[in-house]
C-alpha cells in the first residue's frame, strides 16, 4: 500500500477517494488492483477505482417516490410525492441492512453497470415535481418495455452456480418486501399503518426519529420465516443499553434456536442546534467508514436523503425525490432497473440538517460487542464536548415504549447526572421533520 502513500487511515482522508459503507475507492481511474485482490488498511477495505465504485453504488437498493400505486387505507392518496421522502430513506437503510444480512457486503448486482442513467434530479419545486410525475406516467409504457430487459426470465441462464442464483433470488425478494402494496412487509402502506401509533398519517411529514420506531415495529411484526433471524433496536435518549440489545438478539434461544439474532441498531441524534455543527464532520465520516454502518437517514431541511458515504467534506447520498411509476413486485419477472440508482449525488456536510438517524448492523452478539467498541472509539475521538452524541452503557433501560422519551420532570430526576445533561440537550420532539 505504500505506493499509494497510505500509512494510516488519516492519510486516506487527504487523498482523492470515496468511501461507501466501509469500502474505499480511488477517484483516479488509472489506479487499479488485480482482480479479486481487495486489501485492507486498519480494517478498511481498499476496493478499487471509479468503475468499481459505480458498480457498488448502483447495487444498493434505491427506493423513491412512486405514483399510481393502490390507494392508502384511510386516504385518497395513490402517491407519496411531496411527503414520503423520509419513509423512503428509512426503507433504503433497512434494505441495506437486509442486503448485508442475506447477501453480505461483498455482494454486487451483476447487471449494475447496465442500468441506464436515470437523471434523477432532486426536484425542490412542487411544479417541477408534478411535471416529472406526469412525464414519467406518459412514458410508463415505454419504460416498462425498456426495463423489463433486466428480468428473472432472461437472467436465469447466465448464473454460473447455485450461489449466484441464490443471491439473485434474495435480491429480488428483498426488493419485493418494499413494494408499494398493502401486503408488502416494509412497503409504504405498512409503514404508514405502523406510524399511526405515533399519531402520523398518510400525507404527514415524518422525522428521522419517528421513522426509526416505525421500522422497528415493521420488523418486529413481520412474520416471514426469512425474517425471524433479524430484529431492530432503537436507542433511547441517545443511549444504547447493551443488555437490551443482547436480550433482543437472544430471543430466538427461548424457542429452541441456539443462534443469536442479527440486529439493526438505529440511533436518532442531533448534530447541532438550528444548523449542523461542522465539528461533527469527522464523526460522520468515521461512522460511514465503519463496516457495521448501514447508512444515515438525514438530509437537508424539508428534504430527506439516504447518506451512504463521503468524498472529502461532502456526503454521498441516494435521493428519493424522483417520482416513478408503480411497479408490481408480485410479478415473478418484475423489472429491477428502477430500484437501482446510477447517479450518485454529493452534498456539502454543512448543508446537512442536524436531525438524523444513524444505522448499524450486527450479525450476532459477538458482532454487537465488537461494534459497540468500534463505534465508541469513533465517538471518543470525534467528541469535542463533555458528553458524546450517544453512548453505550451496560444494563437495561426503563420500561417505556413508543415513542420513548424521558420528558417528565419526575422521570428526569431519577436519571444519573450525566444522562440528565444528555436528555436536556436532546429530545426527539425537537427534531426538524424532513
Amino acid at each position: 500500500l505504500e505506493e499509494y502513500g497510505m500509512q494510516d487511515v488519516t492519510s486516506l482522508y487527504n487523498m482523492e477517494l470515496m468511501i461507501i459503507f466501509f469500502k474505499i475507492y480511488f477517484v483516479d481511474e488509472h489506479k487499479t488492483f488485480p482482480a479479486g485482490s481487495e486489501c485492507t488498511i486498519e480494517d478498511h477495505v481498499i476496493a478499487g477505482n471509479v468503475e468499481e465504485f459505480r458498480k457498488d453504488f448502483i447495487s444498493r437498493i434505491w427506493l423513491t417516490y412512486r405514483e399510481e400505486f393502490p390507494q392508502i387505507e384511510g386516504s385518497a392518496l395513490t402517491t407519496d410525492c411531496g411527503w414520503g421522502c423520509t419513509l423512503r430513506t428509512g426503507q433504503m437503510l433497512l434494505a441495506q441492512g437486509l442486503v448485508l444480512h442475506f447477501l453480505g457486503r461483498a455482494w454486487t448486482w451483476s447487471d449494475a453497470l447496465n442500468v441506464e442513467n436515470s437523471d434523477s434530479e432532486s426536484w425542490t419545486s412542487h411544479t417541477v415535481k408534478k411535471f416529472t410525475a406526469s412525464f414519467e406516467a406518459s412514458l410508463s409504457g415505454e419504460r416498462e418495455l425498456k426495463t423489463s430487459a433486466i428480468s428473472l426470465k432472461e437472467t436465469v441462464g447466465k448464473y454460473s452456480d447455485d450461489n449466484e442464483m441464490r443471491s439473485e433470488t434474495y435480491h429480488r425478494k428483498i426488493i419485493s418486501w418494499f413494494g408499494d402494496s398493502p401486503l408488502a412487509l416494509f412497503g409504504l402502506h405498512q409503514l404508514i399503518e405502523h406510524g399511526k401509533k405515533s399519531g402520523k398519517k398518510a400525507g404527514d411529514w415524518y422525522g428521522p426519529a419517528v421513522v426509526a420506531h416505525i421500522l422497528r415495529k415493521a420488523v418486529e411484526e413481520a412474520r416471514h420465516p426469512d425474517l425471524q433471524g433479524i430484529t431492530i433496536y432503537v436507542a433511547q435518549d441517545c443511549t444504547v443499553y447493551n443488555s437490551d440489545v443482547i436480550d433482543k438478539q437472544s430471543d430466538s434461544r427461548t424457542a429452541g434456536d441456539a443462534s443469536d439474532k442479527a440486529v439493526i441498531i438505529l440511533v436518532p441524534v442531533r448534530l447541532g442546534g438550528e444548523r449542523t455543527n461542522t465539528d461533527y464532520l469527522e464523526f460522520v465520516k468515521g461512522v460511514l467508514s465503519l463496516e457495521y454502518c448501514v447508512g444515515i437517514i438525514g438530509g437537508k431541511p424539508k428534504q430527506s436523503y439516504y447518506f451512504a458515504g463521503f468524498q472529502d467534506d461532502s456526503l454521498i447520498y441516494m435521493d428519493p425525490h424522483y417520482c416513478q411509476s408503480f411497479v408490481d413486485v408480485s410479478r415473478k419477472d418484475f423489472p429491477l432497473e428502477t430500484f437501482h440508482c446510477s447517479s450518485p449525488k454529493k452534498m456539502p456536510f454543512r448543508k446537512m440538517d442536524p436531525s438524523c438517524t444513524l444505522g448499524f448492523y450486527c450479525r450476532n452478539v459477538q458482532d454487537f460487542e465488537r461494534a459497540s467498541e468500534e463505534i465508541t472509539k469513533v465517538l471518543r475521538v470525534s467528541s469535542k464536548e463533555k458528553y458524546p452524541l450517544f453512548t453505550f452503557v451496560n444494563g437495561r433501560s426503563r420500561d417505556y415504549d413508543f415513542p420513548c422519551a424521558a420528558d417528565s420532570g419526575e422521570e428526569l430526576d431519577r436519571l444519573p447526572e450525566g444522562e440528565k445533561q444528555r436528555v436536556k440537550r436532546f429530545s426527539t420532539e425537537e427534531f426538524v421533520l424532513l
Side-chain angles (χ1 to χ4, degrees):
L1 293 175
E2 290 183 3
E3 64 183 294
Y4 297 108
M6 298 182 297
Q7 274 69 44
D8 54 44
V9 173
T10 303
S11 68
L12 291 177
Y13 294 160
N14 298 323
M15 300 182 67
E16 287 190 280
L17 53 85
M18 298 171 286
I19 293 183
I20 176 174
F21 298 137
F22 180 59
K23 287 194 175 184
I24 297 170
Y25 295 90
F26 289 97
V27 175
D28 186 348
E29 296 186 21
H30 301 294
K31 288 188 187 294
T32 59
F33 296 90
S37 66
E38 282 190 347
C39 49
T40 64
I41 177 169
E42 291 194 14
D43 296 328
H44 287 67
V45 174
I46 313 299
N49 60 15
V50 172
E51 194 71 357
E52 281 86 11
F53 169 82
R54 286 191 64 242
K55 185 170 185 179
D56 192 4
F57 180 86
I58 295 170
S59 297
R60 302 313 106 200
I61 294 174
W62 182 43
L63 298 157
T64 72
Y65 288 155
R66 296 277 173 175
E67 63 174 352
E68 299 175 351
F69 53 61
Q71 186 173 317
I72 296 170
E73 185 178 354
S75 77
L77 293 169
T78 58
T79 180
D80 63 317
C81 290
W83 58 270
C85 56
T86 316
L87 290 171
R88 296 301 187 180
T89 54
Q91 286 180 319
M92 285 189 264
L93 184 147
L94 177 55
Q96 175 60 15
L98 294 173
V99 166
L100 286 185
H101 185 64
F102 292 108
L103 300 173
R105 182 61 186 93
W107 174 81
T108 54
W109 182 33
S110 58
D111 278 310
L113 296 179
N114 295 328
V115 174
E116 297 184 19
N117 193 315
S118 59
D119 191 29
S120 54
E121 291 298 320
S122 178
W123 307 109
T124 55
S125 163
H126 179 70
T127 304
V128 176
K129 282 181 186 174
K130 295 299 289 184
F131 172 78
T132 304
S134 174
F135 181 70
E136 184 69 25
S138 70
L139 294 179
S140 59
E142 177 186 339
R143 175 177 283 276
E144 186 170 350
L145 288 172
K146 181 174 66 177
T147 61
S148 61
I150 304 176
S151 68
L152 187 60
K153 288 180 180 177
E154 294 192 15
T155 55
V156 165
K158 75 180 184 181
Y159 296 115
S160 58
D161 56 39
D162 291 343
N163 188 52
E164 287 189 32
M165 190 62 229
R166 174 191 173 278
S167 295
E168 178 60 14
T169 299
Y170 268 108
H171 175 206
R172 287 181 164 276
K173 185 181 290 189
I174 292 168
I175 290 175
S176 72
W177 288 334
F178 294 91
D180 293 303
S181 67
L183 296 179
L185 295 174
F186 309 128
L188 195 74
H189 297 69
Q190 284 291 331
L191 298 187
I192 289 167
E193 195 62 33
H194 293 302
K196 290 178 181 178
K197 297 181 179 69
S198 61
K200 294 294 183 182
K201 63 182 185 300
D204 285 350
W205 291 98
Y206 292 73
V210 170
V211 168
H213 287 285
I214 289 173
L215 295 177
R216 173 179 64 85
K217 296 296 287 186
V219 171
E220 285 177 351
E221 297 186 16
R223 295 293 176 259
H224 194 287
D226 286 344
L227 294 167
Q228 300 315 296
I230 188 167
T231 187
I232 286 185
Y233 173 89
V234 181
Q236 303 179 35
D237 298 320
C238 303
T239 305
V240 177
Y241 294 91
N242 295 342
S243 295
D244 284 348
V245 177
I246 293 171
D247 286 348
K248 289 181 77 73
Q249 290 185 277
S250 304
D251 278 351
S252 58
R253 292 177 183 170
T254 59
D257 185 350
S259 60
D260 304 330
K261 283 187 178 182
V263 64
I264 295 173
I265 299 170
L266 300 178
V267 187
V269 297
R270 193 170 179 89
L271 305 176
E274 291 297 314
R275 296 182 180 179
T276 292
N277 185 337
T278 54
D279 286 344
Y280 289 120
L281 172 60
E282 295 308 314
F283 166 74
V284 172
K285 284 184 175 182
V287 165
L288 291 170
S289 301
L290 291 171
E291 63 178 304
Y292 307 99
C293 182
V294 289
I296 300 174
I297 304 170
K300 57 187 182 182
K302 299 300 180 184
Q303 283 191 304
S304 184
Y305 300 142
Y306 173 51
F307 296 116
F310 65 90
Q311 181 182 13
D312 299 323
D313 291 347
S314 293
L315 301 177
I316 297 170
Y317 67 92
M318 298 176 74
D319 188 355
H321 301 88
Y322 181 58
C323 196
Q324 303 189 90
S325 296
F326 166 71
V327 172
D328 183 1
V329 296
S330 66
R331 285 171 42 196
K332 186 178 180 181
D333 61 343
F334 69 88
L336 295 170
E337 188 180 53
T338 64
F339 296 99
H340 292 278
C341 178
S342 61
S343 307
K345 293 186 173 185
K346 292 195 302 181
M347 183 188 82
F349 176 74
R350 58 184 169 77
K351 291 187 177 182
M352 182 181 180
D353 189 280
S355 301
C356 61
T357 289
L358 315 176
F360 306 95
Y361 169 83
C362 305
R363 188 167 294 279
N364 50 43
V365 170
Q366 283 187 325
D367 213 23
F368 165 67
E369 291 170 346
R370 286 192 297 267
S372 61
E373 291 177 5
E374 292 299 313
I375 297 166
T376 298
K377 287 179 186 176
V378 173
L379 286 162
R380 189 181 300 124
V381 169
S382 60
S383 178
K384 294 186 178 181
E385 299 182 11
K386 186 175 181 181
Y387 300 106
L389 276 172
F390 67 96
T391 57
F392 290 84
V393 299
N394 293 324
R396 295 175 175 82
S397 66
R398 288 157 187 82
D399 192 17
Y400 49 82
D401 201 7
F402 186 106
C404 45
D407 54 3
S408 71
E410 181 182 349
E411 195 147 345
L412 189 62
D413 287 340
R414 298 196 201 110
L415 297 175
E417 190 59 36
E419 193 158 329
K420 281 184 187 177
Q421 296 302 319
R422 284 196 298 273
V423 172
K424 286 177 181 176
R425 168 169 81 79
F426 173 89
S427 165
T428 55
E429 296 301 318
E430 295 174 354
F431 271 51
V432 178
L433 302 182
L434 300 184

